[in-house]
Amino acid sequence: MRLEGKEYRTIWFDNNVVKIIDQTKLPHQFRIKELKTVKDAINAIKVMEVRGAPLIGATAAFGLVLAIIEKNDQSFLKKSAKDLICSRPTAINLKWAVDRMMNKLSGVNSDQILEIALNEVNEICEEDIKFCENIGLNGLKIIEEIYNKKKDTVNILTHCNAGWLATINWGTATSPIYHAHKKGIPVHVWADETRPRNQGANLTSYELNEEGIKNTIIADNTGGILMQRGEVDMCIVGTDRTLANGDVCNKVGTYLKALAAHDNKIPFYVALPSSTIDWNIKDHKNIPIEKRNSDELSQVEGLDEKGDIKKIQIYPKKSKAMNLAFDVTPAKYVTGLITEKGICEASEKGLKELFK
Ligand code: MRU
């Protein structure tokens, strides 16, 4: 998709280095960063220069490529895989991508290992793009249906950033929106600001602006009143881990939006590629939920009057703050899961019908 008037992917390989768009600086500064070592890849995931479930999976896969370039040694590769998996615990795509790479690379001692790793990472990225495109085409049908009834702009609420910046291209939650826009269906997006890191304001709104899609940033608690007043036709969110029973783990605040949508009979969809499904954990209470530094809450970054990026403290210095990054929306509040294979009920039966 486009940024600064040019087509980009979020991550690519060039001359033995991995290149990323540094998302900590967006939307105020567009900066391409080079990752040269597996440590750089781990750090980029940890400090969220790259974020979003599919993109951190791809970055971890590229991290293993960098590990091989550094040192073609199986024990270093194994240790790198372990460190990459631990770099962020909640999004399952990270472990999924590392396991997929290690399936191909474990025990390979020949010089061909780099070529094998590059082929696999390329496949992971191409597959993610294809899957996200299909999610868009499948989700487009829902938007079309609403438009055909309403004959007016379709208002879609989304939370956090499950846009193309969270994937390699297209996005998950935004892909149906991009497809609807390309087809000439008038759409308008309510972008939840998404405290504390403001991914909705800084990334979703930014990427929609770059594609010419109408959107309005709202404070996280505004969705409820908009739903009560008929200003939201549907919600679409992404996910970091969806259980086989259809429970959806996503950015904190998603659950409260689902409750409000349920109370107002507004369809609440979750868009995801199959790499985000956790087939093993049975009870959502066993999902590791990231507890992030409380500085993210108490300090806010933005542009000062001179146009420089500045961080300021907004809480009383003595106050304690707690910062859980994700929550879980029970399957019963999810109207449907939009996947690369079609739309299904958020349940074991629904998922198993699509993914035999
Ligand atoms: O903390 P983040 O920015 O990594 O959280 C990301 C989200 O919650 C996204 O909505 C989610 O990863 C889905 S990505 C398609």
Side-chain angles (χ1 to χ4, degrees):
M1 310 291 286
R2 264 175 311 192
L3 278 190
E4 312 288 317
K6 220 178 126 187
E7 286 287 327
Y8 282 98
R9 287 182 177 191
T10 48
I11 191 162
W12 64 99
F13 189 69
D14 183 15
N15 253 329
N16 278 4
V17 296
V18 175
K19 294 195 176 169
I20 57 164
I21 297 164
D22 179 358
Q23 300 194 18
T24 58
K25 296 281 174 267
L26 293 176
H28 305 303
Q29 256 175 34
F30 179 79
R31 191 164 77 114
I32 291 171
K33 192 169 173 185
E34 295 189 346
L35 311 179
K36 295 182 176 154
T37 63
V38 64
K39 261 202 181 140
D40 290 347
I42 291 167
N43 184 57
I45 296 170
K46 277 192 174 161
V47 304
M48 295 172 70
E49 287 164 350
V50 287
R51 25 71 49 208
L55 180 57
I56 58 179
T59 308
F62 272 117
L64 292 175
V65 169
L66 294 172
I68 293 167
I69 293 171
E70 271 174 78
K71 193 173 0 168
N72 186 357
D73 171 83
Q74 283 286 321
S75 57
F76 181 61
L77 192 63
K78 237 192 211 160
K79 159 110 182 43
S80 302
K82 216 169 130 211
D83 292 347
L84 282 160
I85 289 176
C86 296
S87 58
R88 283 194 71 186
T90 304
I92 186 78
N93 304 60
L94 193 52
K95 178 168 167 18
W96 170 87
V98 170
D99 287 348
R100 180 168 161 169
M101 291 292 285
M102 290 306 282
N103 267 341
K104 295 272 163 160
L105 304 173
S106 280
V108 178
N109 286 307
S110 72
D111 289 344
Q112 276 172 335
I113 190 167
L114 180 59
E115 198 188 322
I116 297 170
L118 280 170
N119 283 342
E120 197 58 21
V121 87
N122 195 35
E123 253 183 51
I124 288 174
C125 291
E126 291 306 322
E127 197 179 278
D128 189 68
I129 294 170
K130 189 75 216 147
F131 284 5
C132 285
E133 189 179 4
N134 287 346
I135 288 168
L137 293 167
N138 291 328
L140 167 64
K141 293 175 207 148
I142 306 166
I143 299 177
E144 255 174 338
E145 219 171 273
I146 294 172
Y147 178 67
N148 288 339
K149 273 197 209 142
K150 194 182 174 195
K151 299 276 180 249
D152 202 353
T153 302
V154 180
N155 289 302
I156 303 169
L157 184 140
T158 191
H159 190 66
C160 197
N161 174 261
W164 78 269
L165 289 167
T167 64
I168 312 299
N169 214 341
W170 288 112
T172 57
T174 55
S175 186
I177 297 166
Y178 287 132
H179 280 86
H181 178 72
K182 279 187 199 300
K183 219 173 161 186
I185 298 173
V187 282
H188 165 260
V189 177
W190 296 112
D192 278 357
E193 178 191 35
T194 319
R195 286 282 292 145
R197 290 186 78 105
N198 301 339
Q199 293 96 325
N202 291 345
L203 303 175
T204 305
S205 179
Y206 171 65
E207 65 165 80
L208 292 171
N209 291 343
E210 297 287 297
E211 287 292 327
I213 296 182
K214 285 192 189 136
N215 68 88
T216 308
I217 300 166
I218 48 175
D220 289 334
N221 297 327
T222 312
I225 180 118
L226 291 177
M227 292 187 207
Q228 286 173 326
R229 303 215 163 167
E231 307 256 12
V232 179
D233 295 303
M234 70 184 296
C235 305
I236 320 181
V237 299
T239 166
D240 293 83
R241 187 186 296 237
T242 288
L243 301 190
N245 68 7
D247 288 351
V248 170
C249 179
N250 192 46
K251 175 56 61 191
V252 71
T254 304
Y255 174 40
L256 296 180
K257 281 316 129 62
L259 287 177
H262 181 76
D263 191 44
N264 290 284
K265 299 185 178 48
I266 289 162
F268 187 93
Y269 284 94
V270 177
L272 68 152
S274 49
S275 51
T276 309
I277 304 170
D278 182 336
W279 297 101
N280 297 315
I281 289 186
K282 301 287 174 227
D283 181 344
H284 74 74
K285 293 202 179 84
N286 294 327
I287 299 174
I289 302 285
E290 237 167 78
K291 199 169 187 181
R292 301 188 58 86
N293 196 313
S294 61
D295 287 357
E296 280 186 352
L297 281 165
S298 57
Q299 297 174 5
V300 167
E301 204 171 80
L303 285 187
D304 68 8
E305 65 285 356
K306 289 197 214 114
D308 295 327
I309 295 181
K310 270 248 163 73
K311 201 177 243 183
I312 55 161
Q313 169 82 17
I314 57 167
Y315 287 178
K317 271 249 154 73
K318 281 189 184 160
S319 296
K320 241 172 87 179
M322 201 272 279
N323 185 13
L324 281 187
F326 300 94
D327 65 21
V328 180
T329 302
K332 64 181 174 187
Y333 298 121
V334 178
T335 310
L337 301 174
I338 310 171
T339 77
E340 74 268 16
K341 289 211 178 174
I343 302 165
C344 71
E345 188 184 274
S347 68
E348 184 138 11
K349 185 171 160 278
L351 276 169
K352 282 204 170 146
E353 266 165 20
L354 284 186
F355 301 97
K356 298 214 164 43

